[in-house]
């Protein structure tokens, strides 16, 4: 039985989620503050974490950041009443895999859980721990990025986006494809999230270098290429 950690201080919401998970055949453990949630997450092999953002002792954003810094790679879904684009970007930057705005239907939460667990269970691709293109290098094991001799600091989502670009060099990637592969199919492709993250990467990967590697193909998408 898959065990899921729920970190939610609202008793009504936590019981609703716990009951919904158990009805779907999952086992659910509930923590009511961020500190206890972190302790449990690091002590037990959960399949997935569901966490509120506004929590006692440690908020969900800081909790997510600390779990990712501890190299915990399991899927994390954030729940919050804050639903602006900036709020969602902040959640993704902290390392969340998905973001669900309250109030939500338990059916939608279950659907998103299944998507993330399915992705997690897929057989890993057999590529090297180091992805290279031109002078750009990404180390999957150490979670580091370098361009030439310059170390580049990326957020978790920026790292995943660059990883996908490096897996598909010199190929035009549409916004829809990037959304499906990096954020999963439920990602709202009507927003400008993809463009925002591409711009984040450009500032870190290209801005300080004469040669530009990330290019826009008008009406088509983006491409990682050393020359156009």
């Amino acid at each position: 039985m898959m065990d899921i950690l729920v970190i939610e201080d609202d008793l009504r919401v936590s019981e609703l989620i716990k009951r919904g998970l158990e009805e779907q055949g999952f086992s659910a453990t509930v923590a009511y503050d961020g500190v206890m949630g972190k302790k449990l997450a690091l002590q037990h092999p959960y399949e997935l974490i569901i966490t509120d953002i506004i929590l006692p002792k440690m908020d969900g954003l800081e909790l997510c950041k600390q779990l990712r810094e501890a190299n915990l790679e399991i899927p994390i879904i954030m729940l919050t009443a804050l639903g602006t684009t900036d709020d969602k970007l902040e959640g993704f930057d902290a390392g969340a895999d998905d973001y669900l705005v309250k109030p939500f239907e338990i059916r939608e939460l279950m659907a998103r859980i299944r998507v993330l667990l399915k992705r997690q269970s897929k057989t890993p691709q057999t590529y090297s721990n180091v992805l290279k293109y031109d002078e750009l290098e990404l180390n999957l094991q150490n979670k580091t990025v370098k361009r030439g001799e310059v170390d580049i600091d990326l957020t978790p989502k920026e790292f995943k986006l660059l990883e996908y670009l490096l897996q598909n060099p010199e190929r035009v990637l549409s916004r829809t494809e990037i959304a499906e592969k990096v954020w999963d199919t439920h990602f709202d492709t009507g927003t400008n999230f993809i463009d925002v993250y591409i711009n984040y990467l450009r500032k870190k990967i290209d801005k300080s270098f004469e040669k530009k590697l990330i290019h826009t193909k008008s009406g088509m998408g983006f491409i990682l290429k050393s020359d156009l």
Side-chain angles (χ1 to χ4, degrees), residues 100-164:
L100 193 58
V101 178
K102 296 178 180 179
F104 57 87
E105 288 193 24
I106 196 69
R107 291 182 303 169
E108 182 179 5
L109 176 60
M110 295 303 149
R112 297 192 180 199
I113 289 171
R114 286 192 291 271
V115 168
L116 288 174
L117 291 178
K118 183 178 180 181
R119 185 183 72 180
Q120 189 77 355
S121 66
K122 288 179 180 176
T123 304
Q125 299 182 44
T126 56
Y127 48 70
S128 168
N129 280 333
V130 178
L131 302 177
K132 294 182 179 181
Y133 182 79
D134 201 275
E135 57 184 352
L136 186 60
E137 180 179 305
L138 180 148
N139 189 304
L140 291 164
Q141 185 172 1
N142 299 330
K143 303 298 183 184
T144 57
V145 176
K146 296 181 70 173
R147 181 162 179 183
E149 299 301 318
V150 179
D151 293 321
I152 298 173
D153 184 31
L154 299 181
T155 67
K157 279 299 178 184
E158 291 168 358
F159 188 92
K160 286 186 178 181
L161 176 55
L162 181 61
E163 178 184 346
Y164 191 67

Side-chain angles (χ1 to χ4, degrees), residues 170-195:
E170 302 187 0
R171 183 168 78 83
V172 177
L173 304 174
S174 69
R175 289 170 177 81
T176 299
E177 179 179 352
I178 293 172
E180 290 175 350
K181 301 300 183 181
V182 181
W183 278 273
D184 294 314
T185 54
H186 59 259
F187 185 80
D188 184 1
T189 55
T191 70
N192 65 341
F193 278 20
I194 305 299
D195 297 79

Side-chain angles (χ1 to χ4, degrees), residues 13-28:
V13 176
S14 63
E15 286 300 314
L16 174 67
I17 295 172
K18 186 175 189 295
R19 185 167 60 250
L21 288 169
E22 291 174 346
E23 288 174 354
Q24 294 297 315
F26 296 104
S27 172

